[in-house]
Amino acid sequence: MRVRLFFYFLILHFFIQACRPAGNKEEVVVRTAADPESLNPISFTTANTAQIVALLYQSLLTIDLQDQQLKPLLAEQLPTVVQAKDKSFITYRLRNEAVWDNNKPITAQDVAFTLKVIKAPLVNNETMRAALEYVHDIKLDATDPKKFTIECDSYTPNMSWEIGDFAILPAYVVDPQQLLEKFTLPELENQYDSLKSHPKIKAFAAWFNSARFTRDTAYLKGSGGYRLSDWKTGQYVKLKKKQHWWAERLSPSLAYITAYPAQINFQIVPDNTTALLALNNEQLDVYAGIPATSFVQLQSEASFQKKYALYTPSTYDFTFIGINGRHEKFADKRTRQAIGYLLDIPRMIQVSMGSFAVPTVGIVNPADKIYYNDSLRPYTLNLAEARRLLHAAGWTEKNKGWQKLINGQIIPLTITFNYKEGNSEFENIAFIFRQAAAKLNIPVNVQPVEAGLLNKRIQAQDFEVAVRYLSGNPGIFNFRPILHTENADLQEQNFTGFGTPESDRLIENISETTDQKKRVALLRKLQKVMQEESNLLFLYFNTDRIAIHKRFTNFKISAAKPGYDISSFQLKSD
Amino acid sequence: MSPQQNKTGKWRWPERLAGGYLLLFLLMAVVVPATGLIQHPYENTQSGPSYQPPYIFSFSTSGNSTNIYWLGTDRVGQDVLAILIFGARTALVVSLPAMLLATIMGVVLGSLAGFWGNSGIRVSVAACVLGLSGLLAAGYYAFCVRQVHWLNAFQSGTFSILQELGIAFTIFTGFGIIGWLLTTVAIKIGLKKTITLPIDHFVLRAIEITGAIPRLLLIMCLIAFAKPALVNVVVLAALTYWTSIARLVRGELLQVKELPYIEAAQVAGIANWRILLKQALPNALPPVIVAIAFGLGNLISLEATLSYLGIGIPAYEASWGKLIKGILQNPKAWWLVVFPALTLCFTILSLQIMAERLLKKLSPRQQQF
């Protein structure tokens, strides 16, 4: 009997061992929460896909995670900008060493081709096309095939970064039949609608929108240090280092252009608990966004700390509550401010973020000390102040509730509070808010809504109060799309209806000014105006929670996404 | 009294435990919330600290008497004991009405199928044709034409759904009356041909179709369209749980129907529906009562499953399943799983034990388990 038991145990042990992946020392295994769905460098949608695309393709410029500075990648140096009356001309030169996989040089033609793909009708390029709508033409240098000038509308400091931020496509792979050859950028822009019926445009769109350029290893080829080697939907995306990558021939070599790991394996693990188990079994090398409670637990385990290094970089992701300022109940800013005084932000941070977040007064990260307006105070739970403001806004307390005469009708003060279904962070925020509101007899109807439906409702401005999450980048000061009144119509991003003539002026000046001192003053003023208006009640900026296996070094932990530079990971030489 | 009956009449200790537990459960679910001794966990404006371990295991003398959390607190600092008590109420509020509805549907359809079979009901062709077209037309008007209203009703809540159901009922009744009038006219003018209605066949097909789709999956799909509300869960659960009752009633009636006293009653000329209600059904019901007890356990676990998955149950209803879900956010908070899991297990187990006891009591012939 015992022998049999022992035999069974052996078999079980054998199976358990067989289930473990054979550890590849040269491979970095990264946890990713969702399947990328599409790796098309022009039309990919999710943030975690950007990390993979950036390993396959390169842009003109990049952010060096070491010092968070903008640096030239495919370009030789940062661009030169010439400003004319209402135009600006941004000139780049590509590196001499930069070549495609077929050893043909990367030229200005490829950049022009990429811009054509971004501007072409029928191609799935909506997001990119909207982001680069101020780009009108590209002029290639007659004598130097590596040099070109991009012509844009009037200059804003964000432009040089945005124009340096898209993946440059190899024309010989993406358009072997040279279907876009004959078209110029101004033509694609000006004849956008009529060209939709052009056979060549139709043919190219059908070719480029197909699965070839979303997941096919033969077609997803860029100038990055890695090529896509395998992708099993819902399981993993594997990248292999290229044999003779052009950047290895750079001399002197640059510390921010790297491809050290021989293989990178993005393991798709949707469930946090499963990911934690895998981490504890050393089946993952990198896990970012660890749930707060688990992270605190890991911090206290000495055995775990021997294997993994833990980091908590600040991020540019923030959580805020948007109030529909167009709604009759919340049209008065004092009502919105009163809602602000119902926010117990420290408790929200403690409960829903496990204390891994920093309270903020506005859209600027408190880590950016020069821009952050430290003369303001984040909202605190203050029922007396909330009550005072409600009275000031014309609400009266009647039979265990609040009401106000609006347009001849008595409207009770109730709040419908929406958030994305299944998000426990938002669920806790809603709970804490509802509890505070109950103390003032304001009924809060909490409604979790499915993500897609919630987006639709918010775009249709059919909501009262919703908790949202936004992701930013360091050094980006273009708040036009989300805060300017010109973008406050239906289906646009300024969904709370925020904006005054003053705030619009501030936003315009912030994005246009090149004078640092002036920008600081303007940004601080904008934070003050935004707190005054309170269409957006800012809660906190998240702090990331990352674990990386200690067999590697050189992580370049940073506040810029994704928080670490995987291409620079090196095996420890012990 | 025969020794066998003695054996049934005596309460064995598991049965006593189960009975006692169920009484306690009812007390907790019905009486305690009504007394206001304990506040609803989601109406309580004073929260405790998050993830406070249960006081009974903390062996500490700290904590003043006003806020001792005997079974600990969850993430937002709510008392686990209060959630358990109000969760019991939620479980009851979902399972009892759903079972009641399912039983009514099951008994009606099962009786039709079992007692009349495929040849017991004869209807005139005119009534059949008119009734069927009336039914189709009423269905078209009540559901297809008004589908937008239905969607809105499901999105906006309980009252609107009841209103929609009322409207649908009115439409069906209206068409019923028109059909009946037309049928009377048709029979008057000489369309007297009758056919048998294969009711048993229809009911069996309906049972098979409903049974062919996995129950939980079906409910999840249907609830995905509706706004989270307990009434929706109750209605949808009832629509899927009637089949087992119907099958049981049908089976029992097929047996009972052949018994001599039923035949005697039929010979005596008593109307069929009276025989069914007075003689046949009371003898067919015992297994149904047992099935109801089992079904209640199933429905309580269904409610826990749905709330664990976060579908169908409103955000601020205390529920055992939702409490268990809390473990996902903090794997160290064992009390979020242990206590609700125990109450869930004990409730379902007690219902099963009591159901078995009922079975023994009601059919003394089947005692040798």
Side-chain angles (χ1 to χ4, degrees), chain B residues 9-341:
Chain B
K10 221 168 117 188
W11 286 70
R12 291 178 315 165
W13 67 265
E15 290 168 352
R16 286 177 195 197
L17 269 181
Y21 175 82
L22 284 181
L23 275 177
L24 183 76
F25 172 85
L26 281 174
L27 190 79
M28 287 291 173
V30 180
V31 182
V32 174
T35 58
L37 279 174
I38 293 183
Q39 261 201 309
H40 189 291
Y42 296 113
E43 303 304 331
N44 179 5
T45 53
Q46 299 302 330
S47 293
S50 353
Y51 296 132
Q52 178 99 331
Y55 182 77
I56 43 175
F57 294 99
S58 62
F59 307 111
S60 71
T61 48
S62 67
N64 51 36
S65 58
T66 51
N67 49 10
I68 287 178
Y69 299 103
W70 292 104
L71 301 185
T73 61
D74 68 356
R75 184 174 192 163
V76 286
Q78 292 306 324
D79 188 3
V80 168
L81 181 61
I83 300 178
L84 281 184
I85 288 169
F86 281 85
R89 191 182 67 169
T90 309
L92 211 61
V93 163
V94 169
S95 59
L96 273 182
M99 207 62 231
L100 191 72
L101 274 174
T103 309
I104 293 169
M105 279 178 72
V107 168
V108 169
L109 291 168
S111 314
L112 285 174
F115 196 72
W116 279 283
N118 277 331
S119 53
I121 297 179
R122 291 191 69 82
V123 287
S124 70
V125 176
C128 205
V129 170
L130 287 165
L132 202 63
S133 39
L135 200 67
L136 284 174
Y140 173 74
Y141 280 108
F143 299 108
C144 291
V145 173
R146 298 188 57 83
Q147 59 186 346
V148 179
H149 299 271
W150 276 103
L151 277 177
N152 288 339
F154 269 108
Q155 288 295 333
S156 62
T158 315
F159 179 71
S160 322
I161 294 174
L162 291 175
Q163 204 180 350
E164 260 324 299
L165 279 171
I167 292 170
F169 181 74
T170 319
I171 292 173
F172 274 90
T173 321
F175 270 98
I177 292 166
I178 294 166
W180 178 74
L181 287 172
L182 285 174
T183 314
T184 328
V185 172
I187 289 169
K188 279 260 182 335
I189 59 171
L191 293 167
K192 286 204 171 79
K193 195 173 183 302
T194 58
I195 50 163
T196 53
L197 204 62
I199 194 89
D200 189 27
H201 193 79
F202 288 148
V203 172
L204 275 181
R205 290 297 88 79
I207 291 176
E208 279 164 16
I209 290 167
T210 317
I213 308 163
R215 193 178 275 165
L216 184 64
L217 208 64
L218 179 67
I219 290 178
M220 276 166 61
C221 289
L222 292 171
I223 278 181
F225 293 104
K227 195 185 139 208
L230 291 181
V231 168
N232 298 352
V233 179
V234 167
V235 169
L236 291 173
L239 287 176
T240 50
Y241 272 72
W242 63 270
T243 52
S244 53
I245 307 264
R247 198 175 293 173
L248 264 174
V249 172
R250 176 182 172 272
E252 286 294 315
L253 281 179
L254 284 177
Q255 278 185 349
V256 169
K257 204 167 70 168
E258 304 305 321
L259 294 176
Y261 70 91
I262 301 283
E263 280 180 20
Q266 280 171 329
V267 171
I270 300 172
N272 260 341
W273 60 270
R274 284 194 61 163
I275 298 173
L276 175 72
L277 287 180
K278 297 267 183 206
Q279 320 293 336
L281 262 187
N283 282 306
L285 280 185
V288 174
I289 293 170
V290 177
I292 289 173
F294 280 116
L296 276 176
N298 281 342
L299 279 163
I300 287 174
S301 61
L302 173 80
E303 184 272 329
T305 309
L306 288 177
S307 57
Y308 177 84
L309 294 170
I311 42 178
I313 310 288
Y316 291 116
E317 285 294 344
S319 155
W320 295 346
K322 199 186 293 175
L323 195 55
I324 294 174
K325 193 182 181 177
I327 194 76
L328 296 177
Q329 291 173 18
N330 183 3
K332 280 176 106 172
W334 54 267
W335 56 93
L336 297 183
V337 170
V338 171
F339 299 121

Side-chain angles (χ1 to χ4, degrees), chain A residues 206-271:
Chain A
W207 158 264
F208 185 72
N209 291 341
S210 69
R212 264 180 224 98
F213 292 97
T214 56
R215 52 179 317 132
D216 193 328
T217 52
Y219 289 92
L220 286 172
K221 287 177 175 172
S223 60
Y226 292 86
R227 59 181 181 79
L228 179 65
S229 67
D230 192 8
W231 174 4
K232 277 211 166 41
T233 304
Q235 292 183 40
Y236 57 77
V237 176
K238 285 184 178 172
L239 308 184
K240 262 204 167 71
K241 183 182 172 175
K242 286 178 186 168
Q243 288 292 351
H244 307 288
W245 183 40
W246 69 265
E248 286 169 337
R249 299 194 284 273
L250 276 174
S251 73
S253 65
L254 293 165
Y256 64 91
I257 307 182
T258 47
Y260 294 136
Q263 277 196 64
I264 301 176
N265 174 353
F266 290 91
Q267 278 285 336
I268 297 155
V269 188
D271 180 54

Side-chain angles (χ1 to χ4, degrees), chain A residues 252-452:
Chain A
S253 65
L254 293 165
Y256 64 91
I257 307 182
T258 47
Y260 294 136
Q263 277 196 64
I264 301 176
N265 174 353
F266 290 91
Q267 278 285 336
I268 297 155
V269 188
D271 180 54
N272 283 331
T273 320
T274 316
L276 272 169
L277 275 174
L279 189 74
N280 276 310
N281 292 340
E282 295 187 75
Q283 292 165 330
L284 290 176
D285 293 314
V286 183
Y287 180 1
I290 301 174
T293 40
S294 315
F295 192 79
V296 173
Q297 201 180 327
L298 294 176
Q299 281 177 317
S300 63
E301 286 175 20
S303 59
F304 182 83
Q305 301 260 27
K306 279 200 185 88
K307 298 180 288 189
Y308 286 90
L310 296 170
Y311 297 95
T312 52
S314 59
T315 69
Y316 282 80
D317 303 340
F318 59 91
T319 303
F320 68 97
I321 287 173
I323 304 175
N324 189 349
R326 295 182 198 75
H327 198 289
E328 56 185 1
K329 281 191 275 192
F330 313 110
D332 189 319
K333 70 181 175 194
R334 287 165 300 188
T335 308
R336 302 195 293 262
Q337 288 165 359
I339 293 174
Y341 283 108
L342 296 176
L343 300 176
D344 188 350
I345 296 174
R347 186 155 175 251
M348 287 173 181
I349 290 178
Q350 185 242 318
V351 169
S352 59
M353 303 302 295
S355 303
F356 289 98
V358 185
T360 179
V361 297
I363 201 157
V364 175
N365 193 330
D368 292 340
K369 289 191 169 49
I370 47 169
Y371 297 122
Y372 184 73
N373 190 338
D374 45 14
S375 68
L376 301 172
R377 288 277 154 271
Y379 274 114
T380 50
L381 182 62
N382 185 339
L383 297 176
E385 186 61 15
R387 178 175 272 124
R388 188 190 68 76
L389 284 161
L390 286 175
H391 282 303
W395 295 94
T396 48
E397 274 180 279
K398 279 239 174 74
N399 44 35
K400 288 213 151 182
W402 295 79
Q403 47 182 244
K404 181 180 177 180
L405 199 65
I406 302 172
N407 305 331
Q409 278 192 310
I410 292 177
I411 305 285
L413 178 57
T414 56
I415 296 173
T416 305
F417 193 102
N418 294 126
Y419 63 86
K420 194 176 94 182
E421 197 170 42
N423 183 321
S424 61
E425 176 195 341
F426 295 169
E427 192 182 322
N428 294 319
I429 289 170
F431 178 84
I432 292 165
F433 174 72
R434 181 172 176 265
Q435 215 175 25
K439 290 175 184 168
L440 270 194
N441 289 325
I442 301 171
V444 175
N445 173 18
V446 173
Q447 282 184 3
V449 182
E450 188 274 323

